[in-house]
């Protein structure tokens, strides 16, 4: 049982947005008892869902952010003017029910693109949120935002400073359309650390860069990706900038790792590191090309040390480098150097290594100091099943 | 039974490169009775297999191209100096056995990356090629270059000009690592049309641009992609440039379509067309992002009109456009316009349409005259099975 940061209460409700009468919650609320210091990061997809646009507007224009409302089951993306109206209506309803100022509610939605929100269900479940307020635990909350996720994702820190407690609690959901620039994911981070808006915004941005932006499940970036980070400031404790940064980065990296581990149908997490490229951008291109290669992903799923697919993916990444200078180390064993495989019985060597969940792939070039890291999932039968089942 | 172009003979042999004692041929020869007008196009991957490097050298330096030798089962890629020596040795052997000039043999290999060629098997099977010369049909030949292909791929034209026959015969093999810039594929085109080297080379290059470069199975580009186009000139008939171009382009488009249709585990061919982009490059980026999207591919496999995945893929392609101006037409039915879905019962409308093998996806933007086309396969359980089975 996690203690929440001071000033925050949670509520969850079952709106049955999926229309399947499942005993699962799909609407949730984070409420802050006073105006929060708030930061948000959103999808780079040109098609931004209505809740993304509405939340961006409130973050830009309002100084009184008090709540985050998330529904899973319907994305409210590519729904045009009607979708925008539905989103505004849902924000107004929460403002009214909880007596909050106008523009104080952030929203996020996840689910099938293009379907219109069922506003009757929304309204009914919102009343449930009000009557349940404060009864949901962090675990309940993490579960309520899940879609095809297999398990809830939580990162948590409790820190003592001069006898006073500071708490950070983060949740995230995946599990498909996960890629650069925030993944198809929603994430909420709350704390009672005392922070100023500028420091907080910059620390969150950097933590996302080192966390969510370095993972990939399937290379797709959704229309709904959103991260909200709210501080109540109510612990009264303010942390050093570097300590704050370290905590946020570590927590988002933990959540990012969980996203990949729970990637749709994933059985492996590839930890891909590229060093020695001319630039960090070159290194990132190679890491992403390897991490997105269907052939590399299926080989990992099959526990096959088919290193040629990794080398070939690096070679087609659109980055210029001397192929004779590339060294590939798989699970700590150097397997390719000087344009040819290192002599060994690869089956005997790799059989036990590739049986593990976490697979280290290190690609070293001889061009410069550019480096990058990416965590990527494998590609399994379950991924195909989950995503080809009608309207998953 | 196809009549071969004048001046060409074929031979196939079973070298058992896979070491599985299968009753299938895996070494093949095209022999031209006089020096051929020859053109070649190769992979853009930085890791070029030894046979690619050796063939490029011969095409650049020799005016006496007489033969093409292809083995399937071993790629001879990423095999370093030893691989180069093996390739040169295999070329020398064919030159000796068939009394050909030095530098007259082109080679291609396909199979697992990194394994060294078994030169004893090579030599033995080369003698078999010599004793079998002329006995193989075009179908035998097309089969001998297959790896995981489900069927042989042949394109064929017989044309009469002033009472004289001109013949074009083309074969290709896929079926994985198929992407831009030539796919993981080998292709051989032979003709007896009279052509000059410059016209032939340019016509072949353009035909590849319109054919093989517009298909994708899995986004991976192999280390071994090679296309060889040889003319004996022995029909004595020379064609108009435009007619020659039309024939080559059509034939390579036919072969390219067959590659996608026979993509590993493929059940669908998506015909993706993007129009109205600022530039052709922008249009191509969008077409490739949609064609490579695992979520779009799995939706098509599941016959799911989940158009939101197509729109979302376009929106993350890294191309700037006004999303409200995008129109999506799926299987001839306009389904998305003005930022929202067209009102219809999509399940009833699309159920019969998505049951077909060929799926038309038309994305129209409002930015300019840029356009692009891509044929791409879906993503199925069989793809995962084929590629995760140990060392496929």
């Amino acid at each position: 049982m996690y203690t929440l940061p001071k000033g925050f209460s949670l509520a969850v409700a079952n709106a049955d947005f999926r229309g399947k009468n499942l005993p699962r919650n799909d609407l949730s609320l984070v409420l802050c008892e006073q105006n929060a210091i708030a930061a948000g990061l959103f999808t780079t997809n040109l098609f931004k869902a209505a809740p993304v646009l509405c939340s961006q507007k409130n973050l830009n224009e309002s100084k009184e952010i008090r709540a985050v409302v998330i529904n899973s089951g319907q994305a409210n993306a590519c729904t045009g003017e009607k979708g925008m109206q539905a989103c505004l209506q849902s924000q107004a309803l929460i403002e009214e029910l909880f007596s909050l100022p106008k523009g104080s509610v952030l929203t996020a939605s996840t689910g099938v693109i293009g379907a219109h929100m069922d506003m009757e269900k929304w309204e009914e479940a919102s009343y449930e949120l009000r009557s349940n307020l404060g009864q949901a635990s962090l675990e309940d909350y993490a579960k309520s935002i899940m879609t095809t996720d297999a398990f809830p994702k939580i990162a948590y820190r409790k820190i003592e400073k001069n006898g006073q407690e500071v708490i950070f609690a983060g949740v995230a959901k995946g599990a498909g359309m996960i890629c650069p620039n925030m993944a198809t994911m929603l994430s909420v981070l709350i704390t009672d650390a005392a922070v100023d808006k500028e420091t907080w915004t910059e620390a969150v941005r950097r933590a996302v860069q080192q966390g969510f932006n370095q993972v990939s499940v399937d290379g797709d970036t959704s229309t709904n990706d959103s991260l909200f980070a709210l501080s109540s400031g109510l612990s009264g404790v303010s942390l050093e900038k570097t300590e704050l940064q370290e905590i946020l980065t570590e927590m988002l990296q933990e959540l990012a790792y969980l996203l990949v581990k729970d990637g749709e149908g994933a059985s492996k997490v590839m930890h891909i590191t590229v060093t020695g490229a001319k630039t960090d951008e070159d290194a990132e291109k190679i890491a992403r090309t390897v991490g997105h290669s269907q052939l590399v992903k299926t080989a990992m799923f099959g526990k096959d040390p088919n290193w040629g697919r990794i080398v070939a993916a690096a070679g087609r990444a659109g980055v210029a480098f001397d192929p004779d200078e590339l060294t590939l180390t798989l699970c700590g064993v150097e397997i390719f150097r000087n344009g040819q495989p290192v002599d060994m019985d690869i089956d005997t060597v790799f059989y036990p290594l590739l049986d593990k969940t976490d697979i280290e792939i290190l690609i070293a070039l001889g061009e410069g100091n550019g480096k990058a890291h990416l965590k990527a999932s494998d590609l399994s039968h379950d991924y195909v099943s989950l995503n080809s089942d009608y309207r998953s």
Side-chain angles (χ1 to χ4, degrees), chain A residues 43-101:
Chain A
T43 181
T44 55
N45 199 305
L46 292 182
F47 292 91
K48 288 180 182 24
V52 169
L53 296 171
C54 292
S55 296
Q56 283 182 318
K57 184 166 182 293
N58 283 354
L59 274 171
N60 287 335
E61 297 179 3
S62 162
K63 289 193 182 350
E64 304 176 304
I65 299 299
R66 294 286 303 280
V68 178
V69 187
I70 297 180
N71 75 285
S72 72
Q74 314 219 289
N76 198 8
C78 297
T79 44
E81 187 50 32
K82 191 174 164 192
M84 282 299 288
Q85 289 309 321
C87 187
L88 292 170
Q89 199 185 327
S90 71
Q91 290 180 319
L93 184 66
I94 297 292
E95 286 163 6
E96 193 193 322
L97 287 179
F98 293 88
S99 307
L100 301 176

Side-chain angles (χ1 to χ4, degrees), chain A residues 372-386:
Chain A
H373 183 74
L374 183 76
K375 288 180 182 55
S377 56
D378 59 344
L379 175 57
S380 69
H381 284 291
D382 287 351
Y383 180 91
V384 176
S385 294
L386 273 163

